[in-house]
Amino acid sequence: ATETLKAFVERHGVPVMETQAGKSSLPHDHPLNMGSVGVTGSSASNLLAEQADLVLAVGSRLQDFTTGSWALFKAEGVRIVGLNVLPFDAGKHGALPLVADAKAGLEALEQKLGSWKAPESWLSTAHAAKADWMKAAKAVTDPTNALPSDAQVIGAVHRARGSKAILVCASGGLPGELHKLWPAGAPGSYHLDYGYSTMGYEIAGGLGVKIARPDDDVIVMLGDGSYMMLNSEIATSVMLGKKLTIVVLDNRGFGCINRLQMATGGANFN
């Protein structure tokens, strides 16, 4: 449905906000792509989410990270249209449900919208917000002479390999950083198995991606905690002759879990 989505938003001037699962549906450099939304969202997407009076949720479960535990979409009288194949998800948060495949649903909406287009003032707000966000993202991903942050490592990997690479990750603190900062260049170039915090998935998942897309550059990014759980799949990739680029960000502990524990009053175990 990615081409249908692209045509739909271009025809009607609708800014796009990306969930983890939806990231790369529209290339990062498309002028209507505002980037990540929610708890790990860009300033551009979250600004628009706060002001929008109508939200079209395409294929989204509208879970807590996307909605900020329902604190993000807060314009007076805001309505949600839930386009989803699952009736349960289509009707979440009092949404007007449109139970359909994403492509078929967008095509049906297209027929009803006709020549309607979003106001120019809304598009101006979106473009200005994206420009501000791109400057902020560049500032945190640019190199320095100090010990690099996760964001700076992401920036270095992207500068070295570009947006055509396929990025694979799963759990820990990295998914939030990648959601905000990785510039996904094409549909299918960003794979985040984020549900249930699947530590250990990354290298095996990257191998699966390489088998499915043998001619593409596959990059696996993961923390040291995940790396220790299933790094044996590196041997499998070597035996199969499937090249992976693996980037391990070592914070010498389960850093994300440690932060969550401390936030709920626990002692620092690192």
Short mmCIF file of all heavy atoms in Angstrom, two decimals, residues 24 164-170 182 186-193 201-221 233 236-237 240-246:
data_model
loop_
_atom_site.label_atom_id
_atom_site.label_comp_id
_atom_site.label_asym_id
_atom_site.label_seq_id
_atom_site.Cartn_x
_atom_site.Cartn_y
_atom_site.Cartn_z
N SER A 24 9.29 3.86 7.33
CA SER A 24 9.79 3.56 5.99
C SER A 24 8.67 3.42 4.97
O SER A 24 8.92 3.26 3.77
CB SER A 24 10.71 2.32 5.93
OG SER A 24 9.98 1.11 5.84
N LYS A 164 19.84 3.65 1.74
CA LYS A 164 19.42 2.47 0.97
C LYS A 164 19.59 1.18 1.76
O LYS A 164 19.04 0.14 1.39
CB LYS A 164 20.21 2.39 -0.34
CG LYS A 164 19.86 3.50 -1.33
CD LYS A 164 20.60 3.32 -2.64
CE LYS A 164 20.21 4.41 -3.63
NZ LYS A 164 20.94 4.27 -4.94
N ALA A 165 20.36 1.22 2.83
CA ALA A 165 20.57 0.03 3.65
C ALA A 165 19.28 -0.37 4.37
O ALA A 165 18.40 0.47 4.61
CB ALA A 165 21.68 0.27 4.66
N ILE A 166 19.19 -1.65 4.71
CA ILE A 166 18.06 -2.14 5.52
C ILE A 166 18.53 -2.24 6.96
O ILE A 166 19.55 -2.87 7.26
CB ILE A 166 17.58 -3.52 5.03
CG1 ILE A 166 17.10 -3.43 3.58
CG2 ILE A 166 16.45 -4.03 5.92
CD1 ILE A 166 16.66 -4.76 2.99
N LEU A 167 17.81 -1.62 7.87
CA LEU A 167 18.18 -1.55 9.28
C LEU A 167 17.33 -2.52 10.09
O LEU A 167 16.10 -2.52 9.96
CB LEU A 167 18.00 -0.11 9.77
CG LEU A 167 18.62 0.37 11.09
CD1 LEU A 167 17.85 -0.16 12.29
CD2 LEU A 167 20.08 -0.01 11.18
N VAL A 168 17.97 -3.32 10.93
CA VAL A 168 17.27 -4.29 11.78
C VAL A 168 17.63 -4.03 13.24
O VAL A 168 18.81 -3.87 13.58
CB VAL A 168 17.64 -5.75 11.41
CG1 VAL A 168 16.88 -6.74 12.29
CG2 VAL A 168 17.36 -6.02 9.94
N CYS A 169 16.62 -3.98 14.11
CA CYS A 169 16.83 -3.81 15.55
C CYS A 169 15.62 -4.41 16.26
O CYS A 169 14.70 -4.90 15.62
CB CYS A 169 17.01 -2.33 15.89
SG CYS A 169 17.44 -2.01 17.62
N ALA A 170 15.67 -4.44 17.60
CA ALA A 170 14.53 -5.03 18.30
C ALA A 170 14.22 -4.40 19.65
O ALA A 170 13.10 -3.99 19.89
CB ALA A 170 14.73 -6.55 18.47
N TRP A 182 16.89 7.43 12.62
CA TRP A 182 17.38 6.70 11.44
C TRP A 182 16.60 7.15 10.20
O TRP A 182 15.38 7.04 10.16
CB TRP A 182 17.24 5.20 11.61
CG TRP A 182 17.74 4.47 10.39
CD1 TRP A 182 17.00 3.93 9.38
CD2 TRP A 182 19.11 4.24 10.04
NE1 TRP A 182 17.81 3.38 8.42
CE2 TRP A 182 19.11 3.56 8.79
CE3 TRP A 182 20.33 4.56 10.65
CZ2 TRP A 182 20.30 3.17 8.16
CZ3 TRP A 182 21.50 4.17 10.01
CH2 TRP A 182 21.48 3.48 8.79
N ALA A 186 13.48 3.84 1.96
CA ALA A 186 12.51 3.22 1.05
C ALA A 186 11.64 2.24 1.83
O ALA A 186 12.06 1.73 2.89
CB ALA A 186 13.24 2.49 -0.08
N PRO A 187 10.45 1.96 1.35
CA PRO A 187 9.59 0.98 2.02
C PRO A 187 10.31 -0.36 2.20
O PRO A 187 11.02 -0.82 1.30
CB PRO A 187 8.40 0.84 1.06
CG PRO A 187 8.33 2.16 0.37
CD PRO A 187 9.75 2.59 0.19
N GLY A 188 10.15 -0.94 3.38
CA GLY A 188 10.78 -2.22 3.67
C GLY A 188 12.22 -2.13 4.11
O GLY A 188 12.90 -3.14 4.25
N SER A 189 12.71 -0.91 4.39
CA SER A 189 14.12 -0.75 4.76
C SER A 189 14.34 -0.58 6.26
O SER A 189 15.46 -0.29 6.69
CB SER A 189 14.73 0.45 4.02
OG SER A 189 14.09 1.65 4.43
N TYR A 190 13.29 -0.79 7.05
CA TYR A 190 13.40 -0.59 8.50
C TYR A 190 12.59 -1.69 9.19
O TYR A 190 11.38 -1.79 9.00
CB TYR A 190 12.84 0.78 8.87
CG TYR A 190 12.91 1.16 10.33
CD1 TYR A 190 14.07 1.68 10.88
CD2 TYR A 190 11.80 1.02 11.16
CE1 TYR A 190 14.12 2.07 12.22
CE2 TYR A 190 11.84 1.39 12.49
CZ TYR A 190 13.01 1.92 13.01
OH TYR A 190 13.04 2.30 14.34
N HIS A 191 13.29 -2.56 9.94
CA HIS A 191 12.63 -3.69 10.59
C HIS A 191 12.89 -3.63 12.10
O HIS A 191 14.00 -3.85 12.56
CB HIS A 191 13.14 -5.02 10.02
CG HIS A 191 12.75 -5.24 8.60
ND1 HIS A 191 11.53 -5.78 8.24
CD2 HIS A 191 13.40 -4.98 7.44
CE1 HIS A 191 11.45 -5.85 6.92
NE2 HIS A 191 12.57 -5.36 6.42
N LEU A 192 11.85 -3.33 12.85
CA LEU A 192 11.94 -3.23 14.30
C LEU A 192 10.96 -4.19 14.93
O LEU A 192 9.75 -3.95 14.92
CB LEU A 192 11.62 -1.80 14.74
CG LEU A 192 12.71 -1.03 15.46
CD1 LEU A 192 13.09 -1.65 16.79
CD2 LEU A 192 13.91 -0.82 14.58
N ASP A 193 11.43 -5.30 15.47
CA ASP A 193 10.54 -6.24 16.16
C ASP A 193 10.42 -5.77 17.61
O ASP A 193 11.09 -6.27 18.50
CB ASP A 193 11.10 -7.66 16.09
CG ASP A 193 10.04 -8.69 16.40
OD1 ASP A 193 9.43 -8.58 17.48
OD2 ASP A 193 9.81 -9.59 15.58
N TYR A 201 16.73 -11.16 19.21
CA TYR A 201 16.17 -11.34 17.87
C TYR A 201 17.05 -10.77 16.77
O TYR A 201 17.06 -11.27 15.63
CB TYR A 201 14.79 -10.66 17.82
CG TYR A 201 14.25 -10.41 16.43
CD1 TYR A 201 13.52 -11.38 15.76
CD2 TYR A 201 14.48 -9.19 15.79
CE1 TYR A 201 13.02 -11.14 14.48
CE2 TYR A 201 13.99 -8.95 14.51
CZ TYR A 201 13.27 -9.92 13.86
OH TYR A 201 12.79 -9.70 12.61
N GLU A 202 17.81 -9.74 17.07
CA GLU A 202 18.35 -8.86 16.04
C GLU A 202 19.22 -9.56 15.00
O GLU A 202 19.03 -9.37 13.79
CB GLU A 202 19.16 -7.72 16.70
CG GLU A 202 18.33 -6.80 17.56
CD GLU A 202 18.29 -7.21 19.03
OE1 GLU A 202 18.46 -8.41 19.32
OE2 GLU A 202 18.08 -6.32 19.87
N ILE A 203 20.22 -10.34 15.45
CA ILE A 203 21.14 -10.95 14.48
C ILE A 203 20.43 -12.03 13.67
O ILE A 203 20.57 -12.11 12.44
CB ILE A 203 22.38 -11.51 15.19
CG1 ILE A 203 23.15 -10.35 15.84
CG2 ILE A 203 23.28 -12.26 14.21
CD1 ILE A 203 24.31 -10.79 16.71
N ALA A 204 19.62 -12.85 14.34
CA ALA A 204 18.85 -13.86 13.63
C ALA A 204 17.86 -13.21 12.67
O ALA A 204 17.68 -13.66 11.53
CB ALA A 204 18.11 -14.75 14.63
N GLY A 205 17.22 -12.13 13.12
CA GLY A 205 16.30 -11.40 12.25
C GLY A 205 17.01 -10.80 11.05
O GLY A 205 16.50 -10.82 9.92
N GLY A 206 18.21 -10.24 11.29
CA GLY A 206 18.99 -9.68 10.20
C GLY A 206 19.38 -10.74 9.18
O GLY A 206 19.39 -10.48 7.97
N LEU A 207 19.69 -11.94 9.67
CA LEU A 207 20.01 -13.05 8.76
C LEU A 207 18.80 -13.39 7.89
O LEU A 207 18.92 -13.62 6.69
CB LEU A 207 20.46 -14.26 9.56
CG LEU A 207 20.76 -15.54 8.78
CD1 LEU A 207 21.81 -15.29 7.69
CD2 LEU A 207 21.21 -16.66 9.72
N GLY A 208 17.63 -13.40 8.51
CA GLY A 208 16.41 -13.66 7.74
C GLY A 208 16.17 -12.61 6.67
O GLY A 208 15.79 -12.93 5.54
N VAL A 209 16.43 -11.34 7.01
CA VAL A 209 16.28 -10.26 6.04
C VAL A 209 17.27 -10.45 4.89
O VAL A 209 16.93 -10.26 3.71
CB VAL A 209 16.48 -8.89 6.70
CG1 VAL A 209 16.54 -7.78 5.66
CG2 VAL A 209 15.34 -8.61 7.68
N LYS A 210 18.50 -10.82 5.22
CA LYS A 210 19.53 -11.00 4.18
C LYS A 210 19.17 -12.16 3.26
O LYS A 210 19.42 -12.09 2.04
CB LYS A 210 20.89 -11.24 4.84
CG LYS A 210 22.04 -11.26 3.86
CD LYS A 210 22.25 -9.92 3.17
CE LYS A 210 23.45 -9.93 2.24
NZ LYS A 210 23.64 -8.64 1.55
N ILE A 211 18.60 -13.22 3.81
CA ILE A 211 18.17 -14.34 2.97
C ILE A 211 17.05 -13.89 2.02
O ILE A 211 17.02 -14.26 0.85
CB ILE A 211 17.71 -15.53 3.85
CG1 ILE A 211 18.93 -16.14 4.57
CG2 ILE A 211 17.00 -16.59 3.02
CD1 ILE A 211 18.56 -17.16 5.62
N ALA A 212 16.13 -13.07 2.55
CA ALA A 212 15.02 -12.59 1.73
C ALA A 212 15.45 -11.53 0.73
O ALA A 212 14.88 -11.43 -0.37
CB ALA A 212 13.92 -12.04 2.63
N ARG A 213 16.44 -10.71 1.12
CA ARG A 213 16.90 -9.60 0.26
C ARG A 213 18.42 -9.71 0.07
O ARG A 213 19.18 -8.89 0.58
CB ARG A 213 16.53 -8.26 0.91
CG ARG A 213 15.06 -8.08 1.25
CD ARG A 213 14.25 -7.54 0.11
NE ARG A 213 14.61 -6.17 -0.18
CZ ARG A 213 14.05 -5.10 0.41
NH1 ARG A 213 13.08 -5.28 1.29
NH2 ARG A 213 14.42 -3.89 0.09
N PRO A 214 18.89 -10.74 -0.64
CA PRO A 214 20.34 -11.04 -0.69
C PRO A 214 21.19 -9.94 -1.31
O PRO A 214 22.39 -9.87 -1.02
CB PRO A 214 20.40 -12.33 -1.52
CG PRO A 214 19.12 -12.35 -2.31
CD PRO A 214 18.10 -11.70 -1.44
N ASP A 215 20.61 -9.11 -2.15
CA ASP A 215 21.40 -8.09 -2.82
C ASP A 215 21.45 -6.76 -2.07
O ASP A 215 22.14 -5.82 -2.51
CB ASP A 215 20.83 -7.83 -4.23
CG ASP A 215 20.93 -9.07 -5.11
OD1 ASP A 215 21.89 -9.84 -4.95
OD2 ASP A 215 20.02 -9.26 -5.95
N ASP A 216 20.75 -6.70 -0.95
CA ASP A 216 20.70 -5.45 -0.18
C ASP A 216 21.71 -5.44 0.96
O ASP A 216 22.13 -6.49 1.46
CB ASP A 216 19.30 -5.22 0.37
CG ASP A 216 18.30 -4.87 -0.72
OD1 ASP A 216 18.69 -4.18 -1.67
OD2 ASP A 216 17.14 -5.29 -0.63
N ASP A 217 22.10 -4.25 1.34
CA ASP A 217 23.01 -4.05 2.47
C ASP A 217 22.19 -4.11 3.77
O ASP A 217 21.31 -3.28 3.99
CB ASP A 217 23.67 -2.67 2.31
CG ASP A 217 24.72 -2.39 3.36
OD1 ASP A 217 25.15 -3.33 4.05
OD2 ASP A 217 25.12 -1.21 3.48
N VAL A 218 22.46 -5.09 4.62
CA VAL A 218 21.69 -5.30 5.84
C VAL A 218 22.55 -4.93 7.05
O VAL A 218 23.64 -5.47 7.24
CB VAL A 218 21.19 -6.75 5.97
CG1 VAL A 218 20.43 -6.94 7.28
CG2 VAL A 218 20.30 -7.11 4.78
N ILE A 219 22.04 -4.01 7.86
CA ILE A 219 22.75 -3.56 9.06
C ILE A 219 21.94 -3.95 10.28
O ILE A 219 20.74 -3.66 10.36
CB ILE A 219 22.94 -2.03 9.04
CG1 ILE A 219 23.75 -1.60 7.82
CG2 ILE A 219 23.62 -1.55 10.32
CD1 ILE A 219 23.79 -0.09 7.62
N VAL A 220 22.59 -4.60 11.22
CA VAL A 220 21.97 -4.96 12.49
C VAL A 220 22.57 -4.07 13.57
O VAL A 220 23.78 -4.02 13.74
CB VAL A 220 22.20 -6.44 12.84
CG1 VAL A 220 21.63 -6.77 14.21
CG2 VAL A 220 21.62 -7.35 11.77
N MET A 221 21.71 -3.37 14.30
CA MET A 221 22.18 -2.57 15.43
C MET A 221 21.54 -3.10 16.70
O MET A 221 20.33 -3.34 16.75
CB MET A 221 21.83 -1.08 15.23
CG MET A 221 22.55 -0.45 14.07
SD MET A 221 22.32 1.35 13.95
CE MET A 221 23.29 1.91 15.35
N GLU A 233 24.29 -16.71 16.05
CA GLU A 233 23.78 -16.66 14.67
C GLU A 233 24.77 -15.98 13.72
O GLU A 233 24.59 -16.06 12.50
CB GLU A 233 22.43 -15.96 14.63
CG GLU A 233 21.31 -16.73 15.32
CD GLU A 233 21.17 -18.16 14.80
OE1 GLU A 233 21.26 -18.37 13.58
OE2 GLU A 233 20.99 -19.06 15.63
N THR A 236 26.17 -18.83 11.94
CA THR A 236 25.23 -19.30 10.92
C THR A 236 25.32 -18.45 9.66
O THR A 236 25.34 -18.97 8.54
CB THR A 236 23.79 -19.27 11.45
OG1 THR A 236 23.72 -19.97 12.69
CG2 THR A 236 22.83 -19.89 10.46
N SER A 237 25.40 -17.13 9.83
CA SER A 237 25.48 -16.25 8.66
C SER A 237 26.77 -16.48 7.88
O SER A 237 26.78 -16.43 6.64
CB SER A 237 25.38 -14.78 9.10
OG SER A 237 26.54 -14.35 9.76
N LEU A 240 26.46 -19.71 5.91
CA LEU A 240 25.57 -19.53 4.76
C LEU A 240 26.12 -18.54 3.73
O LEU A 240 25.55 -18.40 2.64
CB LEU A 240 24.20 -19.04 5.24
CG LEU A 240 23.36 -20.03 6.05
CD1 LEU A 240 22.10 -19.35 6.56
CD2 LEU A 240 23.00 -21.25 5.20
N GLY A 241 27.20 -17.85 4.09
CA GLY A 241 27.77 -16.86 3.19
C GLY A 241 26.90 -15.62 3.04
O GLY A 241 26.87 -14.99 1.99
N LYS A 242 26.18 -15.29 4.12
CA LYS A 242 25.28 -14.12 4.10
C LYS A 242 25.91 -13.00 4.94
O LYS A 242 25.91 -13.06 6.17
CB LYS A 242 23.90 -14.48 4.64
CG LYS A 242 23.21 -15.62 3.90
CD LYS A 242 22.95 -15.26 2.44
CE LYS A 242 22.21 -16.37 1.71
NZ LYS A 242 22.01 -16.05 0.28
N LYS A 243 26.39 -11.98 4.26
CA LYS A 243 27.10 -10.91 4.95
C LYS A 243 26.14 -10.00 5.71
O LYS A 243 25.15 -9.52 5.17
CB LYS A 243 27.89 -10.07 3.93
CG LYS A 243 28.60 -8.88 4.57
CD LYS A 243 29.13 -7.93 3.53
CE LYS A 243 29.64 -6.65 4.16
NZ LYS A 243 30.06 -5.66 3.17
N LEU A 244 26.47 -9.75 6.98
CA LEU A 244 25.75 -8.78 7.80
C LEU A 244 26.74 -7.75 8.33
O LEU A 244 27.88 -8.09 8.64
CB LEU A 244 25.07 -9.46 8.99
CG LEU A 244 24.03 -10.55 8.71
CD1 LEU A 244 23.58 -11.18 10.02
CD2 LEU A 244 22.83 -9.96 7.97
N THR A 245 26.31 -6.53 8.48
CA THR A 245 27.07 -5.53 9.23
C THR A 245 26.41 -5.41 10.60
O THR A 245 25.22 -5.09 10.69
CB THR A 245 27.05 -4.17 8.53
OG1 THR A 245 27.66 -4.29 7.25
CG2 THR A 245 27.81 -3.14 9.35
N ILE A 246 27.16 -5.72 11.66
CA ILE A 246 26.61 -5.75 13.01
C ILE A 246 27.28 -4.66 13.85
O ILE A 246 28.50 -4.61 13.97
CB ILE A 246 26.82 -7.13 13.66
CG1 ILE A 246 26.11 -8.21 12.81
CG2 ILE A 246 26.29 -7.15 15.09
CD1 ILE A 246 26.45 -9.62 13.23
#
